[in-house]
Amino acid sequence: MLKSAAARLVGALFALGCLVLPALAADPGPTLKTVRERGHLICAASRALPGFAQMADGAWSGFDVDLCRAVAAAVLNDPNKVEFRALGGDSRFALLQTGQVDMLSRNAPWTLKRDTGFGASYVTTMFFDGEAFMVPQSLGAVSAYELDNVSVCLIDGSDEQIAVRDFFFENQASYTEVLYQDLEDLGVAYRSGLCDAVAAPARWLNAIRRSLPEPATHRILPERITKEMIGPVVREGDEQWFEIVRWTMFAIIEAEELGITSRNIESMSTVNNPAIKRLLGLEGDFGTALGLDPKFMSRVIGAVGNYAELYERNFGPQTGASLSRGQNSLWTNGGLLYAPPVR
C-alpha cells in the first residue's frame, strides 16, 4: 500500500516536471551552423522558369525563391540573406551532397530513385503538378476529354509522350504527334500554330503561355494525366536541417488555413485562438528543439506570407497568365495541400 502510494507520488511529480520543464535547446547541426557562420543561405533550383524562378533587374523572384527566403527568415531572421543559384541536371544533387548549396527549392519531381539515390531527402510537397494540355481558346475545348482528331506538340522520347499515348488510347480518341527535343521547341512550335495543343507538365505550360503575345487567349485544361510532386530537397543525414526546412514549409501552409497573412499578422496575434498563438510563437515553444527561437514561424509568415499569398504573387492574374490552384488548394477546399498542426 505504502509502495503504491509512493509510486503514485513519484509519477505525479514526474508528470508535473514534464509540464514545467522548458524544451531542451538543440545544438546547431552541421548545416544550421554553417549557414549561420557564413551569414547567408545558399539555395538552388532548376534553371529559370517563369513563375518559379526568374531574374529581373539583377534580382531573383518567384515561388521557388520565396521558399528560399522563408528558410532564411527562419534561421537568419532576414529573408534577404539568400544566395540563389539556378542549376540544371544532376549537378544540383552533387552540389547539395558536397555542401556547396544548403537546399534545393524546386527540383526534379519526387520519385523513389531521386529520394534514395543521390544522397538527398525530399522534405515535403509544396507544388502538386502533372502533365496537362494547353490549347488556344479558339479551339473551344474546356476539358482534355474533349480533345479528338488534334495534333499535339510533345517532347520526343519523354515520359509525357507515353502518358499522352495512354490517355488518347484509353479515351478512344485520335491525335497526331508533333515531336520536338526540348521545352523551347514546344513553345516556338505552338506559338507558330504547328499543333493544335501542347502537352507538358502544367508548370512548363504556364511558362510557355507567359511568353505568348496574348496569354489570356490560351487555356491550360484542368485535367492532370500524370502526378508530380515538387518541393524542397536537403542533404541526407542532417535531421535537424530537414526538420527546420519542413516546419518552415508547414508554417506557410498552416498560416493560410488559420487565416494569417503577412498583412494581418499583428492583429491576428491578439486573437484568443490556441492554434494561432502556437503558430506565432506566443504560446508554447516549438522552435528551441530545432535550434531556433520560438517565433521563427511568425517571422516566416511576416516575410513571405502564407501559401495563398505566395501563389497569388507568382501565379495570379497580375502575371498576365493566372494558373488555377486546383490540386494546390487547401484540403478544406478540395485540394491536396495539408500540414500537420503545431502542437
Side-chain angles (χ1 to χ4, degrees):
M1 185 108 172
L2 287 174
K3 288 178 72 176
S4 177
R8 287 197 298 271
L9 177 61
V10 170
L13 290 173
F14 179 77
L16 181 62
C18 289
L19 289 173
V20 300
L21 283 176
L24 295 176
D27 292 330
T31 307
L32 179 59
K33 182 178 180 182
T34 297
V35 170
R36 284 178 169 166
E37 290 176 349
R38 185 197 303 128
H40 67 273
L41 175 75
I42 301 177
C43 191
S46 301
R47 60 178 61 90
L49 185 70
F52 289 92
Q54 59 268 324
M55 170 80 78
D57 299 323
W60 284 97
S61 64
F63 187 84
D64 296 345
V65 181
D66 282 342
L67 298 185
C68 297
R69 294 176 66 244
V71 175
V75 302
L76 296 171
N77 304 340
D78 188 341
N80 298 312
K81 290 184 176 180
V82 181
E83 178 185 335
F84 189 81
R85 297 182 185 176
L87 304 174
D90 291 340
S91 64
R92 50 205 146 150
F93 288 107
L95 293 176
L96 182 67
Q97 284 177 309
T98 57
Q100 295 179 62
V101 299
D102 305 311
M103 63 176 280
L104 307 177
S105 182
R106 188 195 65 78
N107 191 49
W110 194 345
T111 66
L112 187 149
K113 182 177 180 180
R114 288 174 179 142
D115 198 24
T116 60
F118 295 101
S121 295
Y122 279 75
V123 176
T124 191
T125 301
M126 290 301 285
F127 192 88
F128 293 93
D129 200 11
E131 186 175 6
F133 296 92
M134 182 168 68
V135 298
Q137 298 272 24
S138 58
L139 193 66
V142 295
S143 167
Y145 295 105
E146 295 177 321
L147 298 178
D148 191 15
N149 194 28
V150 293
S151 57
V152 181
C153 285
L154 288 161
I155 293 180
D156 191 18
S158 64
D159 291 340
E160 289 81 15
Q161 182 183 16
I162 297 171
V164 167
R165 288 177 180 174
D166 291 344
F167 176 80
F168 279 95
F169 176 78
E170 291 168 2
N171 290 285
Q172 298 183 343
S174 63
Y175 79 108
T176 303
E177 293 182 347
V178 184
L179 301 176
Y180 294 96
Q181 289 298 312
D182 53 40
L183 177 62
E184 288 74 19
D185 290 336
L186 291 184
V188 172
Y190 178 76
R191 185 164 50 246
S192 302
L194 298 179
C195 50
D196 300 313
V198 58
R203 62 190 183 279
W204 291 13
L205 296 180
N206 191 54
I208 292 173
R209 186 171 56 156
R210 288 170 72 152
S211 71
L212 298 173
E214 297 182 81
T217 63
H218 300 269
R219 175 185 289 135
I220 297 175
L221 301 179
E223 293 81 11
R224 301 293 182 265
I225 65 173
T226 62
K227 59 181 181 180
E228 295 185 356
M229 297 178 290
I230 310 296
V233 182
V234 297
R235 189 165 44 258
E236 195 174 61
D238 190 338
E239 185 66 20
Q240 182 194 54
W241 186 248
F242 177 92
E243 295 291 353
I244 287 172
V245 175
R246 181 161 69 170
W247 281 97
T248 297
M249 300 301 111
F250 286 161
I252 294 170
I253 298 170
E254 183 75 354
E256 181 184 1
E257 185 171 342
L258 293 173
I260 306 171
T261 71
S262 59
R263 295 181 294 275
N264 71 11
I265 191 169
E266 290 298 327
S267 60
M268 290 295 282
S269 65
T270 65
V271 175
N272 189 24
N273 180 315
I276 291 174
K277 288 184 177 296
R278 289 193 295 267
L279 184 65
L280 298 182
L282 302 173
E283 186 176 289
D285 182 354
F286 301 97
T288 302
L290 294 173
L292 305 176
D293 65 86
K295 292 190 176 182
F296 81 95
M297 289 183 281
S298 178
R299 274 199 313 278
V300 168
I301 300 162
V304 303
N306 65 26
Y307 191 93
E309 290 179 275
L310 265 72
Y311 201 95
E312 176 72 14
R313 182 160 61 242
N314 296 298
F315 308 115
Q318 78 284 352
T319 66
S322 61
L323 184 64
S324 171
R325 280 186 66 171
Q327 297 166 305
N328 292 298
S329 298
L330 288 176
W331 67 283
T332 51
N333 295 327
L336 299 176
L337 209 62
Y338 191 95
V342 177
R343 61 169 180 253

